[in-house]
Amino acid sequence: MIQDFAFPGSGIKIKSTEDGEHVMATGTYKPMIKVWELDQLAVKFERVTEAENVDFVVSPLTHSSGEKEL
């Protein structure tokens, strides 16, 4: 079971990273974004936003060393 895998209102979109290490979701009232780290089964971070998040893109980021990061 993943810690805090819920929203006070409802969830709108759920997407995972290509490597399967993280899941990101948006929810309503209060509009927010949450990211879970699956190997820890816990919330990595969450942010309340000023407007409803209708959609988002999860894209791999790379450092100069070539390592991918969320």
Side-chain angles (χ1 to χ4, degrees):
M1 182 168 215
I2 299 174
Q3 170 194 357
D4 295 325
F5 202 74
F7 287 93
S10 63
I12 297 174
K13 292 271 185 178
I14 299 174
K15 297 181 182 182
S16 66
T17 56
E18 288 180 7
D19 59 13
E21 293 182 12
H22 298 88
V23 170
M24 184 174 191
T26 61
T28 61
Y29 191 74
K30 300 180 250 187
M32 66 174 52
I33 298 170
K34 287 187 178 185
V35 175
W36 293 269
E37 195 167 12
L38 296 180
D39 65 342
Q40 300 295 315
L41 297 176
V43 173
K44 183 166 181 134
F45 69 87
E46 62 183 65
R47 300 287 184 271
V48 174
T49 59
E50 293 182 17
E52 183 179 337
N53 308 292
V54 178
D55 202 0
F56 59 92
V57 175
V58 177
S59 63
L61 300 177
T62 58
H63 295 282
S64 57
S65 65
E67 289 183 33
K68 288 185 177 180
E69 185 178 291
L70 176 67

